[in-house]
Amino acid sequence: MEPAATKTASTFTQGVLTTRRRFRFLGLTAEDLIRVFFGGNATVAIIVLALITIFLLREGAGFFGQNQENLRIYRQAGLEYVDYMRTQVDGHTALTRELSALRLAQLQQAMAAGQTTEAANASLKDFDAFSDKFSDAIVPLRQLVSELTSGPDGDAGATAIKTKFLVAADKRVERQQLIAAGKTEAAAQVRIDEVDFEKELQPLLAARPAFEPASRELSASLTALAAKPPAGDFGKFQADVHTYLAGFPATVQKIAAWDFNQPVAFRQAFTSFLFGTQWLTASLWQDWYGIIPLFVGSLMVSLVALVIAVPFGVGAAIYINQVASPREQRWVKPAIEFISAIPSVVLGFFGIAVLGELLRKLSGVTWLDWVPGFPFSERLNILTAGCLLALISVPTIFTLSEDALNNVPRAFREASFALGANRLQTILRITVPAALSGIISAVLLGFGRVIGETMVVLLCAGNRIAIPDFTAGLGVVTQPTHTMTGIIAQEMGEVAVGSIHYRALFVIGLMLFILSLLINYGAQTIVRRYRISIG
């Protein structure tokens, strides 16, 4: 009787021969099949990458045409004209906030000197009189801007002109839909009231003679007030007032040269997005789609994460690879790599419930007052999100850095020891420089990992759409911010498909995609250069 093992081997051999015959029938060898299989994976990756690119371009390409139309309406309805005047009102508001901050500082200083709250407020009587005069100086100009915005009774002004235009646009869409559905009679009954911009803008243009004297009166009042401030340190405030007043002539010139018929260039749709400092949607006045505050927020959070993660990740890789005992390696390495298994939404919850509150309380400790930005009141900010993103990126940086250190030839270390160098000298002067290309690549890939993170920044960054105040120095990291990934996750579910807001979010996604490609390209370029230099 034939043994079972012999029978199994015979069956396997027959199967292999049959498979080879089939390959020969198809004109393929086993090597060809292996090549097709692994080459097919690369082909699939390229196809997926191309599909993602095409999808983002298809959904986002229409944004710039829509944004151009958005800017054209902004100009023709007179909103741009009114906003020129509003810049003076907004600048005065910022100065008023600065004045309030000065009063609070003086009040706290008086109370720290031992005065009661009532006595401290009484000592600021001259300050309050100065502040009241400063605030009242803007009233005539603010009233003029308010009337130009919505009219004396709330049914006129630039807002009403824009509303009429949007209603007419909606009616045109309704008529086209009825015609497409074959309902020509119903389409004929849709009444479209076209907007005569030249006629509608006459009340706004008629207000120009009233603006210039109001602006001059405001300038004279603030100049006189800034020249005689109350007791206290008003040097910066006086400089800010002079800077504010220095912009008045340019505003007057813009208003004098404004023409609602001036066309909006297509490049303005690009520049307003790429260099715009406002992301404002669903506004009753004007929607703005500027990526700068979101890009700066993403960059700030990522930099804080890297500042924390790089020392820990690279340091842990050096220790595990060069110093740790086999027992430590068996425990520490899996523990670090296990961090990547924690869902980011769980880390976000941890940031909201534990880390953010812990950092806020820690910032209030008296002996930490020297730390920039301490104390702070916002528990969800750049620092909180950056700490959590650092935790996420440590496994990536650690694993890739450790692999780079493993690839350093053992002969390098042995030669160093043979020349009398100790372990620390060998690590710092031989091993790490030899693995530097891989370490830099690890850091860049860690950067790409954190800048594309969504849930942590959405939950823990504070979601304030504004460029952080960099005048605070390093304390800027304690301010809330918003990110490109966070805005997509937050707003995508609320927008109408095909709207300008919808397409703007896809353009942000395209920017993130391009940024990730550039980071990876940079990592590969650095690796190649260091390989050449080491070789």
Side-chain angles (χ1 to χ4, degrees), residues 190-212:
V190 176
R191 179 181 175 184
I192 301 176
D193 296 324
E194 298 293 345
V195 180
D196 185 348
F197 287 108
E198 186 172 2
K199 179 181 178 181
E200 297 285 349
L201 288 172
Q202 288 306 313
L204 274 68
L205 297 176
R208 183 181 298 171
F211 167 76
E212 295 184 11

Side-chain angles (χ1 to χ4, degrees), residues 223-242:
T223 300
L225 286 170
K228 297 180 179 180
D233 184 10
F234 282 82
K236 181 179 182 302
F237 177 77
Q238 289 176 306
D240 291 341
V241 170
H242 289 210

Side-chain angles (χ1 to χ4, degrees), residues 27 55 57 77 82 148 191 236 298 310 317 338 354 363 450 508:
F55 173 70
L57 288 172
V82 177
L148 294 178
R191 179 181 175 184
K236 181 179 182 302
S298 295
V310 170
F338 177 75
V354 180
S363 73
V450 298
I508 291 179

Side-chain angles (χ1 to χ4, degrees), residues 73 77 79 157-170 195 284:
I73 298 170
L79 276 67
T159 304
I161 299 173
K162 182 178 179 180
T163 301
K164 291 178 182 178
F165 178 87
L166 294 178
V167 169
D170 290 341
V195 180
L284 297 176

Side-chain angles (χ1 to χ4, degrees), residues 252-275:
V252 173
Q253 291 177 2
K254 287 180 181 178
I255 292 174
W258 183 79
D259 180 9
F260 78 96
N261 278 321
Q262 183 179 0
V264 176
F266 190 68
R267 61 179 175 79
Q268 290 181 255
F270 284 89
T271 56
S272 66
F273 175 78
L274 295 176
F275 306 108

Side-chain angles (χ1 to χ4, degrees), residues 124-391:
L124 295 174
K125 181 176 63 175
D126 292 340
F127 191 108
D128 292 339
F130 174 85
S131 180
D132 290 341
K133 291 179 181 178
F134 192 90
S135 299
D136 293 342
I138 197 66
V139 170
L141 186 58
R142 179 180 283 122
Q143 183 177 359
L144 175 62
V145 170
S146 177
E147 291 180 356
L148 294 178
T149 299
S150 56
D153 301 322
D155 57 353
T159 304
I161 299 173
K162 182 178 179 180
T163 301
K164 291 178 182 178
F165 178 87
L166 294 178
V167 169
D170 290 341
K171 292 292 185 180
R172 280 192 290 270
V173 172
E174 180 183 356
R175 176 182 289 179
Q176 292 173 357
Q177 290 175 343
L178 290 172
I179 293 174
K183 302 178 181 179
T184 54
E185 294 183 3
Q189 294 177 0
V190 176
R191 179 181 175 184
I192 301 176
D193 296 324
E194 298 293 345
V195 180
D196 185 348
F197 287 108
E198 186 172 2
K199 179 181 178 181
E200 297 285 349
L201 288 172
Q202 288 306 313
L204 274 68
L205 297 176
R208 183 181 298 171
F211 167 76
E212 295 184 11
S215 180
R216 287 194 299 269
E217 182 181 351
L218 175 63
S219 178
S221 299
L222 297 188
T223 300
L225 286 170
K228 297 180 179 180
D233 184 10
F234 282 82
K236 181 179 182 302
F237 177 77
Q238 289 176 306
D240 291 341
V241 170
H242 289 210
T243 302
Y244 164 66
L245 297 177
F248 278 27
T251 301
V252 173
Q253 291 177 2
K254 287 180 181 178
I255 292 174
W258 183 79
D259 180 9
F260 78 96
N261 278 321
Q262 183 179 0
V264 176
F266 190 68
R267 61 179 175 79
Q268 290 181 255
F270 284 89
T271 56
S272 66
F273 175 78
L274 295 176
F275 306 108
T277 57
Q278 293 186 74
W279 181 276
L280 184 61
T281 60
S283 171
L284 297 176
W285 180 251
Q286 174 67 14
D287 290 347
W288 294 105
Y289 301 94
I291 199 175
I292 289 297
L294 304 174
F295 176 76
V296 172
S298 295
L299 191 61
M300 288 296 298
V301 172
S302 300
L303 289 178
V304 170
L306 289 182
V307 166
I308 299 172
V310 170
F312 280 101
V314 176
I318 294 173
Y319 176 79
I320 291 298
N321 187 267
Q322 299 292 313
V323 180
S325 64
R327 182 178 180 182
E328 288 176 312
Q329 292 177 354
R330 286 195 300 269
W331 283 97
V332 176
K333 186 174 179 180
I336 294 176
E337 293 175 344
F338 177 75
I339 297 173
S340 60
I342 302 175
S344 60
V345 68
V346 174
L347 289 176
F349 284 148
F350 174 77
I352 292 175
V354 180
L355 183 61
E357 186 63 21
L358 180 64
L359 290 175
R360 188 184 67 81
K361 289 182 178 179
L362 186 65
S363 73
V365 176
T366 305
W367 59 273
L368 289 177
D369 288 345
W370 58 271
V371 178
F374 281 24
F376 58 86
S377 58
E378 298 280 355
R379 63 190 177 97
L380 304 180
N381 51 41
I382 295 172
L383 180 61
T384 303
C387 289
L388 293 172
L389 288 184
L391 188 63

